[in-house]
Every structure is written in C-alpha cells, then in structure tokens.
C-alpha cells in the first residue's frame, strides 16, 4: 500500500480558465483585438458622409437633379424626416433614439472584436448610424427632429428608379450585409469559427 499522501482538495489547482485562455490552449491562439478597425472605418465613412452632404447642400439644394455617370446616378437634395430610403417618415425622434442605441451597442461589443470582417462590418454600420444621427441632431428643424440629407437617386431623378439615399444609408446596408454573410459562414465576432466547432462536436 502506498504511503504517499494524496493531495488535498485545497492543493489541487482549479481547472477553470477564462474563456479566451481556454480557447487559446485548445487550438490556435486567438487573433488580436480589432477595436481600432471599427473606429477607423467608422471615422473615415462618417467624414465622407458629412463632407458629401455639406457639398450637395451648398451647391445643389433647390436646383434640378444633376445626372452623372451617364444618367446612372442623379444628384439632388432631399430632406428626409424618416429612416433610410425614406421609410418611417414622421418618426424622426424615435429613429434618433434607435440610432443612439445602435451606436452604444456597437461601441460596447467592439471591445471583444477579434474578427477583421466583423470589425469592418460594424464600423460601416456605426458610420451610417452616426452620419444620419448627426443630421437628426444638428439640422433643421431641431435636435432629435432634424431631417436627414439624401442626395443619391439611382437610375432616374426624384427616386423614380430607386429610393433616394446617402452615403450613410449605403454604409449601413453594406455593413449589415457583410455581418449577415459572416454569420452564415460561421465566422464569429471573437475570431472563432462556429461551423468548424459544430463539425468537430459531431
């Protein structure tokens, strides 16, 4: 019979580890955090949205639609009290609050981002939310009631071919589509791959 003393429960090291450390030991190390990508993309697209809106307001407001690219795009200024693509007209203050919530949510989740794709997608959505939210706070008729400047009419003037939109609307749509695509491919925002995990478990 062995006389070696068995370790007491207090001497046994706990096996529980923080999720990220455990994930790193099971497979490859987790990618670096991508917070800076979110804010770099958001800052760039936000600036482009603000600059283009100010330019078209200064040069095209009150004028006839201006065709560019052989009539593929018409530039004209429309003051939109609704959501993207002129939806939900008359709910300006509600939309402003929703956009504020979106901005807060993206800033909160960005601390855990390790996927470049997710960071770009959320950065685009953040830029779009901030771009239109800026209009709602600082343009007429007043804070939380400001009308968003739309100026891109595709295929025909006056939104006859497609809804009139702006750079912020485009950023939201592209960013949202990218996030959906990554989700369908099983790519998580923390840099892991859900689809691979499911196959291993099976």
């Amino acid at each position: 019979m062995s006389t070696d003393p068995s370790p007491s429960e207090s001497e046994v090291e706990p096996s529980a580890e923080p999720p990220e450390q455990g994930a790193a030991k099971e497979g490859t190390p987790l990618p670096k955090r991508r917070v800076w990508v979110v804010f770099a993309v958001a800052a760039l697209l936000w600036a482009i949205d603000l600059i283009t809106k100010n330019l078209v307001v200064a040069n095209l407001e009150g004028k006839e639609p201006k065709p560019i690219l052989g009539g593929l795009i018409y530039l004209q200024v429309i003051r939109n009290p609704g959501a993207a693509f002129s939806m939900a007209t008359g709910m300006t203050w509600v939309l402003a609050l929703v956009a504020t919530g979106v901005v807060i949510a993206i800033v909160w989740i960005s601390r855990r981002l390790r996927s470049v794709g997710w960071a770009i997608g959320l950065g685009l959505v953040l830029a779009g939310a901030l771009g239109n939210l800026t209009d709602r706070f600082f343009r007429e008729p007043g804070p939380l009631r400001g009308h968003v400047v739309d100026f891109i009419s595709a295929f025909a003037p006056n939104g006859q071919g497609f809804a009139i939109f702006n750079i912020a609307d485009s950023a939201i749509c592209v960013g949202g589509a990218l996030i959906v695509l990554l989700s369908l491919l099983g790519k998580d925002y923390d840099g892991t791959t859900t689809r691979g995990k499911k196959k291993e478990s099976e």
Side-chain angles (χ1 to χ4, degrees), residues 165-199:
F165 57 98
N166 56 38
I167 301 299
D169 297 334
S170 301
I172 291 173
C173 291
V174 174
L178 178 57
I179 291 171
V180 170
L181 176 61
L182 291 171
S183 298
L184 292 175
L185 294 175
K187 305 294 184 180
D188 289 343
Y189 66 89
D190 60 358
T192 59
T193 302
T194 304
R195 181 171 294 180
K197 292 179 182 177
K198 289 181 179 179
K199 289 182 178 179

Side-chain angles (χ1 to χ4, degrees), residues 26-45:
E26 289 176 3
T28 58
L30 290 173
K32 295 180 180 179
R33 297 183 188 275
R34 305 297 182 180
V35 181
W36 69 271
V37 178
V38 178
F39 294 107
V41 171
L44 176 61
L45 269 295

